[in-house]
Amino acid sequence: MRVAPKEIQSFRDDFTYSNSAEAIERFPFPFAEDEYRYSVNMEPHLPKGGEGSAYEHFLDIDEHYLSEMAERELVLKEMPHRCLAMPHMDLACWDMVERIMVSLSEDYPDYFSLIRDGDHWSWENKLLNIKDQFTFGDSSSLPMPPLDYIGRQMQGDFALLDQREGDLFLDAGIITCPADWSLAFDAGMSFKEWHGPVPMAHGEGIFERALKYLIAIPVGKPVRRLNWTLTVNARMDTSPEKYHEWGHERTSVTPENVGEKVYLRVELQVLDRMPRSNAMMFSIRTYLLSLEDLVTNKEWAVRMHRAMKTLPEPLINYKGLTRFHGTVVDYLAQFDPVN
Amino acid sequence: MQTEQLNGVVSKPAYSPVELNPKSSFHLFIAEQAVTGEMQSLFDGCGVDKESAVYSDASDSRLLESLAAMPLTGTLYLAGSEPFIWRVASHARQAGLRPDQIRMMVPVSRERHLFCCHCYQITEGVTYSPFICSGCGLSLEVTDHFARLHSAYFGYQANAEDSSDMPEKREVG
């Protein structure tokens, strides 16, 4: 069964966000082995897991759609610079508009419709009550810049990477739910530069191999990978911009509240070649699951415990888990029969 | 925050001794405030078409004009503080120079520009961490994550997780 968008819940202040039983079941659990290690864990972005799976469609719309769109509005209202496109990325932005509108209208015809008559396009988003007609490629025919316009209708963050000189450059994006990185600071960086602070992987040649793989991706052959961290409270906007407001939550985790307060944050990252601009669309779809919901799946509980227990110190620090990692491991131990 | 690492941050620029480009037909030497000894000896050792100039402002209109007039076979040599040379390099890239046409000398000072991720203000003359942001006044942890576009390092509030836990003052270079 597919999960339909439900009423708006919050990712801040009173944190009313919650997952239904169906949402827990379809959560993209990231740990394939007991021991956590780095790898270039990319695979073709093809349907997997059948109807209702988070991998059923190119873009995943789930029960949190309205909540995430409301959260994005709040972020952009306060900080419009969290959406940014360098002038040379205009064509890539339109590529992205097409890719998203076409796939949403094909995969979710009850929610979205697109009628194309040459360059005259009619778009309807029934979930957000949006109905617009515009001229494809003409940014003045939309009520706001194309990246901003389509980004406000999609769950997850989006970056557009310009490909030149055998490298990928972070030259556009709408980033309102990042796992602690700043688009404003990282804008214009090369692939290795924006991964600069990541520990351990540089020495292992991970980024050289990943970049080689990515720049060779052709149109129509998107790839995906999962990334993860832990977030205290169901906070979508864990941006550096707001770190001075949410950082203190990392000291609020106790043995009593760890199950409800700590969330496994998973990013389903998809890279897709854009046909006109040759840019890469990099979508970062974030899922949040509280540990107490996670451990309702016994297999996940055991694996989560072992992955957390074997997490190398540099990664614990890099991911910002230092202050509560031990509490998480202790909590998870009760679900692992080996202990 | 994403700044603790074992092997150093790869976005932090590394500099090596600069040599003249033997394939170049024109050499432009740009220095901030004063020509350094290293640049002077390069300049003196350069036989073909050459020019040198000193600017205090990396966005000086005369400097931008000379970058726009650079021939395809020209090489640009830069000396000065780190923010200065990266800002000029950024203008040079915008003027169409390729990366291999730009050669940077080791910065003359270890002073950094610091980008505050909370208010986006850039604080100048940073030599230690934590450092007070000139925009919002927060004490910022100075990282090695460098953005060429901003010619600045990434900074974030040093004691955001626990206000009583301020890291000890340390020099950065």
Side-chain angles (χ1 to χ4, degrees):
Chain A
M1 189 193 94
R2 290 201 183 85
V3 279
K6 61 185 183 186
E7 78 286 0
I8 293 177
Q9 298 178 320
S10 64
F11 296 98
R12 52 176 75 198
D13 304 323
D14 55 351
F15 297 106
T16 57
Y17 172 86
S18 67
N19 282 297
S20 67
E22 292 79 14
I24 296 171
E25 197 186 332
R26 73 195 298 280
F27 185 80
F29 187 73
F31 301 111
E33 295 172 80
D34 280 351
E35 189 175 333
Y36 179 72
R37 62 183 58 136
Y38 263 135
S39 62
V40 182
N41 54 339
M42 283 182 274
E43 63 178 9
H45 185 40
L46 297 170
K48 182 170 90 171
E51 186 174 310
S53 150
Y55 308 104
E56 182 185 4
H57 297 304
F58 177 69
L59 297 162
D60 182 37
I61 302 290
D62 70 7
E63 66 178 14
H64 304 299
Y65 181 82
L66 297 176
S67 306
E68 289 184 37
M69 295 304 92
E71 165 69 15
R72 172 154 288 162
E73 288 287 333
L74 291 174
V75 174
L76 290 173
K77 195 172 174 198
E78 190 189 345
M79 289 172 285
H81 290 96
R82 301 280 291 276
C83 176
L84 171 163
M86 294 185 186
H88 65 275
M89 297 304 283
D90 195 53
L91 188 59
C93 293
W94 280 102
D95 270 333
M96 175 174 152
V97 167
E98 179 188 53
R99 187 70 169 111
I100 290 181
M101 286 186 177
V102 169
S103 77
L104 288 182
S105 59
E106 286 175 356
D107 292 338
Y108 305 91
D110 293 347
Y111 301 149
F112 308 98
S113 94
L114 176 67
I115 298 162
R116 288 181 284 182
D117 175 14
D119 285 344
H120 300 286
W121 290 28
S122 304
W123 168 250
E124 186 173 9
N125 177 338
K126 298 186 178 85
L127 295 173
L128 294 177
N129 297 315
I130 291 171
K131 206 170 178 179
D132 285 309
Q133 298 192 325
F134 59 92
T135 306
F136 185 82
D138 176 2
S139 297
S140 69
S141 68
L142 280 175
M144 58 183 82
L147 177 59
D148 206 349
Y149 179 77
I150 198 66
R152 286 172 195 259
Q153 302 182 52
M154 264 316 302
Q155 287 175 267
D157 284 345
F158 285 81
L160 288 166
L161 315 177
D162 192 32
Q163 185 162 323
R164 55 182 195 269
E165 299 159 17
D167 208 335
L168 293 165
F169 293 87
L170 185 51
D171 288 348
I174 179 163
I175 307 294
T176 67
C177 51
D180 209 356
W181 65 278
S182 166
L183 176 67
F185 185 74
D186 287 359
M189 286 189 183
S190 68
F191 186 74
K192 278 185 83 173
E193 280 173 334
W194 91 70
H195 287 105
V198 180
M200 294 166 73
H202 287 282
E204 296 175 16
I206 299 260
F207 294 112
E208 283 83 358
R209 276 181 284 147
L211 179 61
K212 265 187 195 164
Y213 180 86
L214 295 179
I215 60 178
I217 290 174
V219 172
K221 301 272 184 192
V223 300
R224 69 175 167 237
R225 70 181 285 257
L226 295 178
N227 198 9
W228 71 275
T229 188
L230 300 179
T231 295
V232 181
N233 297 323
R235 183 177 292 283
M236 268 291 173
D237 185 16
T238 49
S239 59
E241 279 84 349
K242 287 283 167 186
Y243 172 67
H244 57 307
E245 294 178 10
W246 57 262
H248 69 92
E249 294 174 354
R250 286 178 170 165
T251 56
S252 68
V253 179
T254 67
E256 291 71 37
N257 68 19
V258 54
E260 55 175 309
K261 218 166 176 56
V262 175
Y263 284 74
L264 175 58
R265 180 189 195 97
V266 171
E267 295 178 348
L268 170 54
Q269 304 181 343
V270 175
L271 286 131
D272 187 30
R273 175 78 58 199
M274 297 288 101
R276 298 175 184 78
S277 60
N278 202 41
M280 295 289 284
M281 182 173 86
F282 180 28
S283 62
I284 310 159
R285 175 75 162 81
T286 294
Y287 299 81
L288 291 166
L289 184 66
S290 69
L291 292 184
E292 67 182 6
D293 282 345
L294 185 150
V295 299
T296 59
N297 180 320
K298 289 188 170 56
E299 213 172 292
W300 290 355
V302 170
R303 178 141 288 171
M304 184 76 184
H305 172 245
R306 295 176 186 177
M308 290 305 105
K309 203 175 160 182
T310 55
L311 194 62
E313 188 82 27
L315 284 182
I316 294 174
N317 294 332
Y318 166 67
K319 289 179 183 284
L321 318 180
T322 315
R323 293 179 194 271
F324 59 92
H325 174 259
T327 312
V328 166
V329 173
D330 290 347
Y331 168 76
L332 292 170
Q334 63 184 301
F335 306 102
D336 190 344
V338 166
N339 284 269
Chain B
M1 295 296 289
Q2 303 187 344
T3 49
E4 308 283 332
Q5 45 273 318
L6 276 183
N7 308 322
V9 172
V10 299
S11 54
K12 185 177 195 293
Y15 304 91
S16 46
V18 170
E19 292 174 3
L20 287 173
N21 183 354
K23 293 180 189 156
S24 204
S25 65
F26 176 70
H27 304 260
L28 178 61
F29 297 83
I30 301 292
E32 181 185 24
Q33 313 286 5
V35 173
T36 60
E38 186 192 5
M39 179 170 268
Q40 189 64 50
S41 60
L42 269 186
F43 185 80
D44 292 344
C46 184
V48 293
D49 268 358
K50 60 185 179 181
E51 232 176 84
S52 82
V54 172
Y55 295 98
S56 54
D57 177 4
S59 304
D60 191 294
S61 61
R62 289 164 302 156
L63 171 54
L64 299 183
E65 279 167 31
S66 60
L67 292 175
M70 278 289 278
L72 282 169
T73 53
T75 302
L76 174 68
Y77 304 86
L78 299 172
S81 67
E82 188 169 60
F84 176 85
I85 60 180
W86 281 100
R87 195 145 294 154
V88 177
S90 169
H91 289 313
R93 293 302 307 278
Q94 280 165 26
L97 273 76
R98 303 178 308 273
D100 63 296
Q101 286 181 280
I102 304 169
R103 302 192 173 190
M104 296 177 179
M105 317 221 166
V106 179
V108 294
S109 137
R110 57 185 190 83
E111 287 186 1
R112 297 184 181 198
H113 282 190
L114 181 63
F115 177 95
C116 173
C117 72
H118 310 300
C119 73
Y120 295 172
Q121 178 79 25
I122 289 178
T123 302
E124 301 186 5
V126 174
T127 55
Y128 56 87
S129 175
F131 203 93
I132 302 283
C133 173
S134 61
C136 64
L138 290 173
S139 287
L140 303 181
E141 176 74 24
V142 182
T143 76
D144 285 340
H145 190 28
F146 183 79
R148 295 168 185 211
L149 206 66
H150 301 291
S151 303
Y153 290 87
F154 188 77
Y156 63 89
Q157 191 190 347
N159 62 339
E161 299 188 8
D162 177 356
S163 59
S164 66
D165 186 12
M166 185 65 82
E168 270 187 46
K169 185 172 159 178
R170 63 179 172 88
E171 299 220 332
V172 292

